[in-house]
Amino acid sequence: MSLPNSTFQVGVVLDLDSLVGRIGLSCLTMSRSDFYSVHSNYTTRLVLNVMDSKGQIIDAAASALTLLKDVEVDAIIGPQKSGHTNFLVGLGDRAHVPIISFSATSPFPPQTPYFVQTALRDDAQVGAIASLVRDFGWSQIVIIYEDSDYGNGIVPYLSNAFQDVNVRVSYRSIIPVSATDEFLLQELYKMKTMQTRVFVVHISSSIASKLFPKAKEAGMMNEGYAWIVTSGLMDLLYSMDSHVVDTMQGVLGVKPLIPRPRKLRSFANRWKQKFLKDNPSIFQAELSLLGLWAYDTLWALAMAAERVKFREPNSLQNTGAINSFNLFTPAMSQTGPKLLKELSEITFQGLSGTFSLVNRKVEPSSFQILNVVGSGERELGIWTPSRGILSKGNINVTNSSKKSLRGIIWPGESTVVPRGWEVPVSGKKLQIGVPAESGFTEYLKVERDPQTKASKVSGYYIDLFDSVMKALPFAVTYVYVPFEKPDGSSAGSYDDLAYQVFLQKYDAVVGDITITANRSKYVDFTLPFADGGVNSIVPITYDDPNDNWIFLKPLTKELWVTAIALFVLTGVALWILEHRFNNAFRGPPSQHAGLIFYFPFMSLVFAQRERIMSNLARLVVVVWMFVVLILSSTYTASLSARLTVQRLQPAVTDVNELIKNEDYVGCRNGSFVIHLLKDLGFKESNIRSCNHPEDCDEALAKGSKNGGISALFSVMPYAKLFLAKYCDKYTTVGPTHRSEGYAYVFPKGSPLVAHVSRAILELTENGRISELERQWFKNPTCKADDTITSTSVSLKSFKTLFGITCSITTSCLIVFLITYLYKNRDFIRRISNSSITIWSKARAISRHFEQRDPKFCGSKENASSTFPGNLGPSVIVPVSLEEMSDAAGDISPNSQQTDAANPSTV
C-alpha cells in the first residue's frame, strides 16, 4: 500500500473540443494505465487533473492557476498551443512547477528552466525541406504560413535554410487564422500571376482544409506545380475530410521518422478501439505523432516521480503584503524542482523512439519524405542530417547516385518533376522595358503612331531578343514597353531603367544595357550578347607637305633632344680620348669647342678627315658611325614618306592630355560611361551628352574651343558604327577601356536568366547572331582616301641602341681616365698631398692633361697633322717646376728635387 505522500498531482490543460486535445488526453490516460500495469510494484502514483482550455488563452491561464492554487499540482502537462505557453510558463516559473508540452512546437520557447518541450521543434525539419527543394533543382519558392505563433516561428529558420542552399524566397503569403474563402482565393490568384510554382506550406489542419480546395479551384493543383507541407499538417492528414485529401494529391511532406516496432502496432490498435469508443462522434481516427509524444511524456514523468519517491508539501510564498495580487500567487512547490531534475536525466525507448532531453527539449531526428497519394500517404525516402535525402530502396546505400527519390506523383497526376517556375498564364504578358532612345536606329528604334500613340520597337537588339526567346524550350509571351515620359522623351538613365526591374515595373529590360557592378546588386544579368569596352574617338588631322617645319616632324621632340645630346657626348668623348695624342684635337680652347661639335655632325655625311690615333677613340667612332647610319636612314625614310604620301594623325593621342587641358568630351546621356570618365579624372562639368551620330559629328567638328568636344567616348558597338559612317574624319586613339558587354536584365533570382543565357550560347554557336549582324550592318559605304596614319619616330624605338652607345662610350672614357691616373700616379699624388687650394690642384692637373703624351711626340702623323686653322705644327713645351709653382703655389723643396730627378713625369 502506497504512502500518502507518494501520490503526485499532475495537471493537464488541453483543448478537449479539438482532435489534438482528445488524442492527447486519450494517450495520456493509456500511458498512465500501461505504466502502472508494467510497474505495479512502484510506490508512487500520478493523479491526472484535467482542465479544458477551450482553445482560449485566458481559459488556459485560468485553468493553470486553479491547478496551482487549489490542487497544488507538482507538474502541468500542456498547454496545447505555442501561443499559450508564455502565460502558463510564467505561473509555473513562479510556483516552481514544470510545464511540460507535447504539442507546442514553436522554435522560440520561453526562456525559463521550468518549461520542457517533449515535442520536436518546428525548426528541426527545415533542413529536410531545403534539401528537398535543392535536390529538385528549384531556385525559388513561396512560403505560405498562418499568422500565429505556430506559423511565424518557423519562417526565419526556413529563410536561412533556403539561403544556405541558394534558393530565393520570392514571396511570403501570410494567412490569417480567421481567413475566409474569398481571401484565400484572392491570395491564390495573386500567387498564380507570379513565376514561382513551388509552395512550402506551414499552416494548421483547419486552414489547410480550406486552402487546398481553393487551390484546386484556382487551377494550382495541376501539372507544373509543386507543394510541400510541414510535419504538423502531414501528421494530421488522416484527420481531414476525404474531399480535402483528394485536392492534395501529389503534395510532398515531411514527418519525423518513427520506428515501427511490434509494440507500437499493438498500442495503435488498442488506442483506436478505445478512442472511437470514447468519442462516438468520430468515425475515423489514426494515431498521430502528437499522441505518441503525449504517451512518452507521461511515461517519463511517472519514471521521474518514482525516482523522487516522496512528495513534499508546498510552501506559501512571502509576497511582503496582502493584496489582490496574491490571488495570482500560487504556493511554491517543493517537489517540482526535483521532478524537473529527474525528468531531464531520464532516457528510455518509447513509442516515438528514444526519449532523451537535452536542455529540456528532445533532440532532432531524421525525417520521412512522404507523398500524398490516394486516401493517404506513401513513403518516398528519408532525410538524415548527415547523409541528406535517401530514396526508400537505397537507405543503406552510400553512393550519392542512389539518393534520388523515385516514383513521385506530382499534382495533376504527373510523373514529371515540375520546373519550379512558369511564365504567368493569367493573360498577362511579360513587360519588356526598352530604352526610349538608342542613338543608332540600326540597333534600336522606337516609333510612335501620332494618332493611336502606340509604340513600335525595331532594330538589331529587338530581332536578337526575339530569336533568343524563340530558342527557349517553352513559349513566352511578352510586349515591349519603352521607358519614356508622356512626351516621348527618355524617362531616365540606364541605371533608372534597370532599377525598374527591381521595382517590378518591368519583367525584363532589353537594349544596350552594360553589365556593371552597381546594377548587379539589384538585378540579374544574362550572359553578354555583345562585346564590351569603351573607345576614344577623336578627329583626324592631315600633314601639310608645304609646312616650313616639316623636316622636324619625322622624329619626336624627345628623340631630337636625345640625339643632339648624344652628338655632344660623342664629341666630348673623342676630344678627351684624342687630345693628348692627336695634333688634330689640339689647339686654342675656342677650336676645342668647335671640334667637339664638328666631328660628330660631319659624321652624318661621313665627311670628317681627322685621323684617330687611340684604340679607345676608334671603338667609340665605330659604334657612333653605326648609330648615325641607322638614325639618318630612319629620318630619310620618314621624311620621304611625308613628302610623297598624304598622311593623317589623330588630333589627340592621349586621354591624359584631354584631362590636363580640361577639354570637353562627349558620351551618351545616361550611360555608365559618365561614371567611367569621372573615374579617369574628368570633371563632370567637362562631360557633355551626345546621343545621336549627327550631334556627335557636329560637336567633334567644332572642338572644345568652339563649344563642341575634343573626343567622344563610346562603347565598342556604337564606336564601330560611328567610324563606319565617318571613317574619313575620325579615328580611335589610346587603349580600349575595359567594361563588360551588353546583356539582358531580369529580376534577382529569375529562373529565366539561366534559360536565356543558354539560348544566347546556342545562337552564338550556330551562327544566328552573326547572321543578324550581317543583315543589319552592311559593309560600310564610307570610303576614306588612300591615307597613311602618321606617327613620328619616338625615342622608344632607339632606346636600346642609344643605351648601348652610351655604355660603350662611357666605358672607354673610364678606361682612359683610369690609365691616365695610373701612369701619372706620382704626379697626382704629389699634387694631392701639396698644401695648395683645391682650385690650384685642379688647374695643375688640367695643365698637365693639356700637354701631349711624350710617347707620341715623334710620330709622323702627329708632326704632319694640323687642326683646321692652325698655322703650323704644334710645339710641345715642357712644364717646368717654376711654371707649376706659379700656377699651383708653393711646393716643398723635396717635391722639386723629385721633379728634377724624374723629368719624364712632366
Side-chain angles (χ1 to χ4, degrees):
M1 182 177 180
S2 62
L3 298 175
N5 58 3
S6 63
T7 301
F8 292 79
Q9 301 293 329
V10 177
V12 178
V13 180
L14 297 172
D15 180 8
L16 300 181
D17 290 334
S18 67
L19 180 62
V20 173
R22 293 181 183 184
I23 293 175
L25 180 59
S26 175
C27 290
L28 289 173
T29 57
M30 290 188 67
S31 177
R32 179 181 177 278
S33 175
D34 292 346
F35 183 83
Y36 291 117
S37 296
V38 175
H39 305 95
S40 57
N41 60 330
Y42 280 10
T43 60
T44 58
R45 292 292 183 271
L46 298 182
V47 177
L48 300 183
N49 300 271
V50 181
M51 300 290 289
D52 187 5
S53 68
K54 300 177 182 179
Q56 301 297 320
I57 189 171
I58 296 178
D59 291 329
S63 299
L65 186 61
T66 300
L67 292 170
L68 292 171
K69 289 183 65 68
D70 298 343
V71 183
E72 295 187 355
V73 295
D74 302 305
I76 294 178
I77 297 178
Q80 181 176 319
K81 297 181 178 181
S82 299
H84 299 174
T85 56
N86 287 325
F87 290 89
L88 268 67
V89 168
L91 296 172
D93 191 47
R94 176 170 292 190
H96 289 187
V97 171
I99 307 297
I100 309 168
S101 177
F102 64 85
S103 58
T105 57
S106 172
F108 301 104
Q111 298 302 312
T112 171
Y114 287 95
F115 180 68
V116 180
Q117 239 176 335
T118 57
L120 195 61
R121 299 196 331 180
D122 285 333
D123 60 309
Q125 62 188 310
V126 298
I129 296 174
S131 296
L132 200 60
V133 173
R134 179 195 59 197
D135 286 6
F136 285 120
W138 298 324
S139 61
Q140 55 185 7
I141 56 99
V142 170
I143 300 178
I144 302 175
Y145 61 98
E146 68 176 62
D147 189 12
S148 66
D149 291 334
Y150 166 73
N152 295 323
I154 196 176
V155 174
Y157 294 93
L158 273 176
S159 300
N160 291 339
F162 287 132
Q163 185 176 0
D164 291 341
V165 296
N166 199 28
V167 173
R168 188 174 70 94
V169 179
S170 61
Y171 181 67
R172 297 180 182 181
S173 177
I174 306 175
I175 308 298
V177 177
S178 58
T180 62
D181 291 349
E182 181 181 356
F183 175 87
L184 292 174
L185 197 59
Q186 182 180 0
E187 185 70 10
L188 287 167
Y189 276 124
K190 178 181 179 181
M191 290 185 284
K192 188 177 181 180
T193 62
M194 303 175 185
Q195 290 185 348
T196 309
R197 291 294 181 263
V198 181
F199 305 96
V200 176
V201 184
H202 182 66
I203 56 178
S204 62
S205 58
S206 59
I207 298 179
S209 298
K210 296 186 292 184
L211 176 69
F212 282 100
K214 291 301 176 183
K216 181 81 170 179
E217 180 181 340
M220 297 176 66
M221 298 303 298
N222 297 330
E223 183 177 357
Y225 288 84
W227 295 79
I228 303 175
V229 299
T230 56
S231 62
L233 181 57
M234 203 68 196
D235 187 44
L236 297 176
L237 179 69
Y238 68 90
S239 67
M240 298 181 182
D241 292 339
S242 58
H243 78 279
V244 175
V245 177
D246 289 341
T247 63
M248 296 178 64
Q249 296 299 300
V251 171
L252 299 183
V254 297
K255 192 163 67 172
L257 180 62
I258 302 298
R260 297 288 178 179
R262 183 179 302 177
K263 177 183 176 182
L264 177 57
R265 293 194 294 270
S266 175
F267 172 76
N269 293 331
R270 290 192 297 114
W271 173 86
K272 187 172 184 179
Q273 293 176 3
K274 184 179 184 303
F275 183 80
L276 293 177
K277 181 179 178 180
D278 295 340
N279 300 274
S281 59
I282 300 177
F283 301 100
Q284 179 66 26
E286 294 291 339
L287 182 60
S288 69
L289 184 60
L290 295 176
L292 299 180
W293 286 336
Y295 187 95
D296 290 344
T297 298
L298 193 119
W299 192 283
L301 188 59
M303 293 178 66
E306 182 63 25
R307 293 186 180 185
V308 174
K309 291 293 185 183
F310 300 101
R311 179 184 183 278
E312 298 181 14
N314 295 351
S315 62
L316 295 176
Q317 299 189 45
N318 183 14
T319 60
I322 300 176
N323 52 46
S324 59
F325 290 101
N326 289 340
L327 297 174
F328 302 98
T329 306
M332 185 178 297
S333 173
Q334 302 299 315
T335 308
K338 297 180 181 179
L339 277 175
L340 180 62
K341 179 178 179 298
E342 296 297 337
L343 186 64
S344 300
E345 297 176 355
I346 287 176
T347 300
F348 66 96
Q349 196 66 29
L351 295 181
S352 62
T354 302
F355 183 94
S356 178
L357 298 177
V358 178
N359 295 325
R360 301 177 305 280
K361 62 183 180 181
V362 295
E363 283 286 86
S365 64
S366 301
F367 282 81
Q368 290 177 287
I369 309 297
L370 303 171
N371 189 193
V372 178
V373 178
S375 59
E377 60 193 33
R378 181 165 60 92
E379 184 179 11
L380 301 173
I382 66 170
W383 173 88
T384 65
S386 59
R387 299 173 62 188
I389 295 178
L390 302 173
S391 62
K392 183 177 180 181
N394 299 283
I395 292 177
N396 297 322
V397 178
T398 59
N399 189 351
S400 59
S401 63
K402 299 293 185 180
K403 295 184 179 182
S404 58
L405 301 177
R406 299 184 179 90
I408 303 176
I409 303 299
W410 300 98
E413 298 184 356
S414 172
T415 57
V416 179
V417 178
R419 188 166 52 218
W421 65 275
E422 295 287 348
V423 177
V425 296
S426 58
K428 176 187 174 183
K429 297 181 179 180
L430 291 183
Q431 303 293 300
I432 308 298
V434 296
E437 297 179 356
S438 177
F440 285 96
T441 57
E442 292 89 342
Y443 283 106
L444 183 65
K445 182 179 182 181
V446 178
E447 299 176 297
R448 298 166 187 83
D449 191 317
Q451 297 180 351
T452 63
K453 303 299 182 181
S455 299
K456 179 183 178 182
V457 184
S458 60
Y460 168 71
Y461 293 145
I462 302 304
D463 284 359
L464 178 58
F465 184 74
D466 291 340
S467 299
V468 168
M469 300 309 284
K470 290 178 182 178
L472 296 178
F474 46 85
V476 179
T477 58
Y478 54 91
V479 60
Y480 295 108
V481 181
F483 183 53
E484 61 184 1
K485 296 178 181 178
D487 60 357
S489 61
S490 177
S493 66
Y494 280 71
D495 287 340
D496 298 332
L497 175 57
Y499 197 67
Q500 302 305 306
V501 177
F502 175 78
L503 298 177
Q504 298 183 1
K505 293 184 178 180
Y506 294 139
D507 298 304
V509 168
V510 172
D512 49 343
I513 310 296
T514 302
I515 302 173
T516 65
N518 181 57
R519 295 169 185 170
S520 64
K521 294 177 181 178
Y522 48 86
V523 294
D524 279 346
F525 289 94
T526 63
L527 289 178
F529 58 83
D531 295 333
V534 178
N535 288 332
S536 309
I537 301 174
V538 298
I540 295 173
T541 60
Y542 293 88
D543 281 347
D544 182 7
N546 298 319
D547 187 0
N548 296 332
W549 298 98
I550 194 172
F551 66 91
L552 293 177
K553 292 185 178 181
L555 308 181
T556 61
K557 180 172 62 177
E558 293 80 5
L559 182 55
W560 275 116
V561 173
T562 306
I564 293 173
L566 196 59
F567 271 67
V568 176
L569 173 63
T570 304
V572 172
L574 289 175
W575 181 85
I576 293 175
L577 296 174
E578 288 291 305
H579 179 68
R580 302 192 76 235
F581 313 125
N582 195 337
N583 284 340
F585 286 82
R586 304 185 62 79
S590 60
Q591 293 179 343
H592 293 177
L595 183 65
I596 289 175
F597 288 96
Y598 164 80
F599 188 90
F601 281 93
M602 289 302 293
S603 63
L604 289 173
V605 292
F606 305 100
Q608 72 282 358
R609 55 191 181 89
E610 290 72 25
R611 303 189 63 176
I612 304 301
M613 306 298 297
S614 67
N615 290 330
L616 291 176
R618 289 168 181 163
L619 177 60
V620 171
V621 170
V622 169
V623 175
W624 173 247
M625 297 299 285
F626 181 71
V627 173
V628 168
L629 176 62
I630 295 177
L631 188 62
S632 61
S633 300
T634 303
Y635 175 83
T636 303
S638 179
L639 181 61
S640 299
R642 288 177 179 272
L643 295 174
T644 56
V645 181
Q646 186 182 17
R647 302 179 67 88
L648 56 87
Q649 62 183 2
V652 180
T653 58
D654 190 4
V655 174
N656 294 323
E657 182 181 345
L658 295 171
I659 300 173
K660 181 180 179 181
N661 297 335
E662 296 188 354
D663 287 346
Y664 290 101
V665 294
C667 66
R668 288 283 309 283
N669 185 30
S671 170
F672 81 100
V673 180
I674 297 177
H675 302 290
L676 173 64
L677 293 177
K678 291 180 181 178
D679 293 339
L680 290 176
F682 287 96
K683 296 180 180 179
E684 186 173 3
S685 57
N686 292 337
I687 303 175
R688 294 178 172 177
S689 62
C690 181
N691 293 333
H692 301 284
E694 296 76 13
D695 299 337
C696 298
D697 175 42
E698 182 181 354
L700 285 169
K702 290 181 178 179
S704 290
K705 297 181 180 180
N706 299 317
I709 57 178
S710 296
L712 171 66
F713 288 83
S714 178
V715 290
M716 287 183 62
Y718 287 168
K720 291 179 180 178
L721 204 57
F722 182 81
L723 292 177
K725 188 174 183 179
Y726 302 103
C727 57
D728 59 336
K729 300 174 63 177
Y730 308 105
T731 186
T732 58
V733 296
T736 298
H737 303 283
R738 181 175 175 80
S739 70
E740 298 299 329
Y742 289 165
Y744 302 128
V745 179
F746 286 93
K748 274 285 187 182
S750 173
L752 276 174
V753 172
H755 291 280
V756 172
S757 296
R758 281 192 287 268
I760 292 174
L761 289 176
E762 180 182 343
L763 295 183
T764 303
E765 293 176 356
N766 62 23
R768 175 58 180 165
I769 293 182
S770 300
E771 181 182 344
L772 287 174
E773 288 181 352
R774 288 192 296 270
Q775 291 176 3
W776 278 98
F777 310 111
K778 310 293 184 182
N779 293 329
T781 56
C782 172
K783 294 188 179 294
D785 297 334
D786 293 334
T787 57
I788 300 176
T789 302
S790 172
T791 55
S792 300
V793 181
S794 66
L795 176 61
K796 185 177 180 181
S797 304
F798 286 84
K799 187 179 296 184
T800 302
L801 181 62
F802 285 175
I804 295 174
T805 304
C806 291
S807 299
I808 294 176
T809 303
T810 305
S811 300
C812 292
L813 287 174
I814 293 173
V815 171
F816 171 79
L817 291 176
I818 292 175
T819 304
Y820 169 76
L821 293 175
Y822 178 77
K823 289 181 177 180
N824 300 277
R825 59 186 179 278
D826 294 333
F827 172 76
I828 298 298
R829 187 183 303 115
R830 186 167 59 253
I831 294 299
S832 300
N833 293 334
S834 65
S835 59
I836 60 178
T837 63
I838 295 176
W839 173 249
S840 297
K841 293 178 181 180
R843 287 184 58 195
I845 295 174
S846 177
R847 295 191 62 177
H848 182 272
F849 181 80
E850 178 72 18
Q851 305 307 314
R852 187 171 51 187
D853 193 316
K855 294 181 180 181
F856 289 84
C857 291
S859 173
K860 294 181 179 181
E861 291 85 347
N862 279 325
S864 61
S865 297
T866 60
F867 185 84
N870 282 359
L871 297 176
S874 299
V875 180
I876 301 175
V877 182
V879 181
S880 65
L881 291 176
E882 290 77 6
E883 290 174 324
M884 194 157 49
S885 297
D886 293 340
D890 294 334
I891 300 178
S892 63
N894 294 333
S895 299
Q896 294 180 6
Q897 293 173 5
T898 305
D899 237 5
N902 189 14
S904 64
T905 59
V906 253

